[in-house]
Amino acid sequence: MSETYQAERTISAVFKEEKQIDNVIRRLLDRNVPKDNISVMGRNFQSETRISGFITKRDVILGGLRTGAIFGSLFGSFLSLLTGVGVLFVPFVGPIVAAGPIGAILLGAASGAIAGSAGAGLVSVLTALGMPEDKATLYQTRLEAGEFLVMVEVPSDRSGEFQLILESAGAEEINTIEKTLPHPCPGICNSADDLSPEVRTHLSPEAQRIFMQRYNTALNENMDELTSEQMAWDEVHKQFDEDENGVFSKVKVLR
């Protein structure tokens, strides 16, 4: 029986061509990296993923296709195997396809960072995750230019192995941070203490309750964690607006 996969670090890298993304995702999955530990971002997915619109930072994508933000077929692309695939708008970069934990971070926990500063953009989000500012700036520039960013959460004792996999697949500008990307809860959320700080600090106590309730319901319906997180954020966005500090605390008046 295989050992439990224990992610402890996050390796990120840039790829110039879309065809490299399918290749590297396939190789990571073949090495038993769970799909929930792989993130991808890019502007110019053209062959299998056709973008005909985007949603704003105040919207949340449910199940990747529910909003209609993505049209065309994801099937046949390894990107379709990842969780939480959708389109969102990021300052300076514009509309991007995001898949995996990074998409949930941009849509939820980091939305305050983006919404709270007119010029924040992706750099603020990546540096908040522990990435050096010069590397985060370079990644944003490469995304603006139409290239692709891959982030994979790996066990510490296998980080060298996965770095070689990325390099052999054509990766450039490889960087490692000594932690994984934020996830909302380790399974069911029993109390606000179970929420990651990145999520908790952007929710009022009542919004925390709504978030946990929707998250747990989705998880009990056999949704994966990332889809459950996006559904929880969607419910929060339906019921609350952000205050001046980027905290979802203002109850919406239903008409």
Side-chain angles (χ1 to χ4, degrees):
M1 181 174 293
S2 60
E3 296 181 0
T4 302
Y5 188 90
Q6 182 63 49
E8 297 162 314
R9 294 178 177 174
T10 303
I11 303 175
S12 53
V14 171
F15 291 86
K16 288 184 176 180
E17 299 180 14
E18 181 181 345
K19 64 183 179 182
Q20 295 173 307
I21 301 301
D22 264 9
N23 179 39
V24 75
I25 291 174
R26 174 183 58 79
R27 295 173 69 174
L28 291 171
L29 293 174
D30 284 348
R31 295 297 182 100
N32 297 318
V33 179
K35 62 183 181 179
D36 287 352
N37 294 113
I38 303 172
S39 293
V40 177
M41 285 190 288
R43 293 182 63 186
N44 296 329
F45 287 98
Q46 296 173 349
S47 62
E48 297 291 344
T49 308
R50 297 188 298 279
I51 304 170
S52 60
F54 62 89
I55 64 171
T56 69
K57 60 180 176 288
R58 291 184 178 276
D59 295 319
V60 171
I61 301 157
L62 300 180
L65 302 177
R66 176 172 166 181
T67 64
I70 298 179
F71 292 83
S73 176
L74 283 169
F75 302 106
S77 166
F78 276 91
L79 187 69
S80 68
L81 300 178
L82 303 185
T83 48
V85 180
V87 184
L88 65 157
F89 183 85
V90 177
F92 295 117
V93 180
I96 65 169
V97 173
I102 192 63
I105 292 167
L106 288 168
L107 289 166
S111 65
I114 294 176
S117 173
L122 185 64
V123 173
S124 293
V125 176
L126 295 179
T127 53
L129 296 174
M131 188 177 292
E133 185 174 356
D134 59 343
K135 185 67 73 174
T137 301
L138 185 146
Y139 283 167
Q140 177 169 292
T141 300
R142 300 283 289 261
L143 280 171
E144 288 178 67
E147 298 180 8
F148 307 89
L149 177 63
V150 172
M151 306 176 78
V152 54
E153 300 163 83
V154 305
S156 296
D157 60 359
R158 298 181 64 191
S159 58
E161 169 192 346
F162 287 111
Q163 182 166 327
L164 287 174
I165 289 174
L166 295 178
E167 288 176 349
S168 64
E172 300 179 7
E173 300 296 342
I174 294 175
N175 182 78
T176 300
I177 57 176
E178 298 297 319
K179 60 180 180 180
T180 58
L181 301 179
H183 293 256
C185 288
I188 292 293
C189 291
N190 295 307
S191 73
D193 291 337
D194 292 333
L195 292 170
S196 69
E198 294 84 358
V199 171
R200 189 169 59 246
T201 56
H202 288 285
L203 300 173
S204 68
E206 179 61 14
Q208 290 174 12
R209 185 186 68 79
I210 296 297
F211 182 98
M212 290 187 295
Q213 183 181 62
R214 188 68 188 93
Y215 178 87
N216 290 341
T217 298
L219 209 59
N220 285 329
E221 293 172 349
N222 297 317
M223 301 290 184
D224 60 75
E225 289 186 0
L226 294 180
T227 301
S228 298
E229 181 178 4
Q230 291 178 345
M231 295 179 78
W233 279 114
D234 180 65
E235 191 63 34
V236 167
H237 290 191
K238 286 179 181 177
Q239 297 193 35
F240 299 89
D241 283 322
E242 292 172 285
D243 62 23
E244 62 277 6
N245 297 314
V247 176
F248 287 93
S249 62
K250 300 165 66 175
V251 178
K252 290 183 177 180
V253 177
L254 301 178
R255 296 180 180 179

